[in-house]
Amino acid sequence: MRISSVVAGVALAALALTACGGNSGSEGAAKVPDDPAKVKGDLTYAIWDVNQQPAMQEIVKAFNQKYPDVKVSISLATFDQYFTKLKTQGSSDNLPDVFWMNGPNFQLFASNKQLATLDGLVEAKQVDPANYPKALNELYTLDGKQYGVPKDFDTIALWYNKKLFADAKVAPPTAEWTWNDYKAAAVKLKAALGPKGIWATGDTLGNQSDFYPAMLSNGGYVIKDGKSGYSDPKSIEALQFWSDLVKGGFTPNAAQNAETKSQDRFFDGKAAMMWNGNWVVSAALKSPHKNDFTVVPLPKAPSGGRKTVIHGIANVMSAKSKNPEAAAAFLAFLGGKDAALIQAKAGAANPAYTGTQTDFVNSAPQYNLKTYIEAAEQYAEPYPVSKDTGVWNKLETDELVPAFGGDKPMSEVAPQIATKMDEALGKEKK
């Protein structure tokens, strides 16, 4: 699921207010009673994606067939507000019983004992980590304890609108496209479609969807051995690629994206192509132009490299849930095959549960979704995180993204961000 261009930082001090007292994450999640009739109570399940909400409601409905006496209320917040809200709830000892977690924010919550471990569920064989990709299990593990049940995983590919390419008389993207091909097509698309109010690209200028894959594809990096990669020449070259696209008027700038989300432009038929993740499939299927879309691999960097980041949401449980047995039962169900198949068949997300990805691919065969699976197998790299990822993600949002298309070249902007990022990373070690 998308991390977007911003991940809300969670203040360590605020969470530390609840780090003592109550249930400790070190005690492990409660085991689920053998008799479902004994499991009762009300639960809150927090998520951030409105497009996935219908599938999550179907999962709750399936859960209630086995646990009819547990009422699960879904709490939806926009991604930009989600972790800010969790911080507030954590500081008042009132986190949702079960909620979505992402890699950049995980270590903060886990290190402050806000999350229950999976120890009890694993020991009782109610959750089996072997059912999920090893990288995702590791992403949600801290000090030898696993806290998250992987829900899905995502990679990045190139979406395009077949009809708009045909209208513009531009050859459609292929798996052999390079960045130069992408730029050349953007020039032609702008000339043909711009007068009609249609953008050549609807790129979000997001870290996960756009500039991280570009940096990695070009031989750069985001973070390595506790140091920022923003001053690396290969990273700067990749960032300049995006800045040039914005400056040329081929893709919207940050201010324009703030007014209308770029992916909305694409699904409304107002942009011809975009880099984006498999989390947008359900939105694509709701579009009146849904039959015009398909997917190919990302274009290759000038060096011939092609990389994508891989990330996945996990479901986690509050260490201080007032209904720990019911919460544990729901968490275990969310981590099972039935729940994975529900979200897969709905096209809501690519499930992490091994063996269920085919159903996701088949949920929209017209979109060539196997591209995302192949990316994970062939050229994906882990999403970059640190203990306090949100701090330097904020630097990306506040200083990097607005600079795309600006007067300053990335050779000036990126090293300045690297210096501040290194300062933040240095504080994590203290």
Side-chain angles (χ1 to χ4, degrees), residues 353-369:
Y353 194 97
T354 301
T356 61
Q357 289 83 29
T358 298
D359 291 85
F360 174 70
V361 172
N362 292 339
S363 70
Q366 69 272 37
Y367 295 157
N368 191 31
L369 297 180

Side-chain angles (χ1 to χ4, degrees), residues 226-373:
K227 293 290 185 180
S228 172
Y230 278 94
S231 59
D232 182 275
K234 294 294 185 181
S235 296
I236 292 172
E237 186 178 9
L239 295 171
Q240 192 63 49
F241 163 75
W242 285 114
S243 192
D244 290 345
L245 284 170
V246 176
K247 196 160 190 173
F250 305 117
T251 199
N253 61 29
Q256 291 164 324
N257 281 339
E259 294 174 0
T260 302
K261 291 183 179 179
S262 277
Q263 77 174 46
D264 291 344
R265 285 192 182 89
F266 180 81
F267 292 131
D268 287 342
K270 298 298 183 181
M273 55 183 177
M274 66 174 179
W275 295 24
N276 221 317
N278 46 267
W279 57 80
V280 301
V281 172
S282 57
L285 291 170
K286 295 175 183 176
S287 168
H289 308 282
K290 63 183 180 181
N291 294 324
D292 297 332
F293 309 136
T294 194
V295 172
V296 294
L298 290 176
K300 298 176 183 178
S303 64
R306 176 188 282 141
K307 295 286 186 182
T308 176
V309 288
I310 183 171
H311 178 264
I313 294 174
N315 284 296
V316 297
M317 172 181 161
S318 169
K320 301 175 180 65
S321 172
K322 295 178 176 61
N323 293 298
E325 288 187 344
F330 186 50
L331 185 63
F333 188 84
L334 287 168
K337 186 175 182 179
D338 290 344
L341 288 173
I342 289 172
Q343 68 173 3
K345 292 176 180 177
N350 181 34
Y353 194 97
T354 301
T356 61
Q357 289 83 29
T358 298
D359 291 85
F360 174 70
V361 172
N362 292 339
S363 70
Q366 69 272 37
Y367 295 157
N368 191 31
L369 297 180
K370 65 179 181 179
T371 301
Y372 287 108
I373 311 302

Side-chain angles (χ1 to χ4, degrees), residues 156-232:
I156 309 300
L158 172 58
W159 286 78
Y160 71 95
N161 186 312
K162 294 178 288 185
K163 183 178 184 301
L164 290 181
F165 269 79
D167 290 346
K169 296 180 172 56
V170 177
T174 71
E176 299 308 313
W177 258 28
T178 65
W179 291 1
N180 287 337
D181 293 319
Y182 193 75
K183 285 182 179 179
V187 171
K188 296 176 182 177
L189 290 165
K190 180 185 177 184
L193 304 176
K196 302 177 183 179
I198 299 173
W199 288 85
T201 85
D203 293 304
T204 65
L205 303 181
N207 52 13
Q208 183 181 8
S209 58
D210 299 301
F211 55 88
Y212 283 1
M215 291 165 73
L216 296 173
S217 294
N218 204 44
Y221 65 100
V222 179
I223 180 175
K224 185 189 301 180
D225 299 327
K227 293 290 185 180
S228 172
Y230 278 94
S231 59
D232 182 275

Side-chain angles (χ1 to χ4, degrees), residues 26-42:
S26 63
E27 295 176 0
K31 297 178 182 178
V32 183
D34 293 332
D35 184 0
K38 295 180 180 179
V39 183
K40 302 178 181 181
D42 295 343

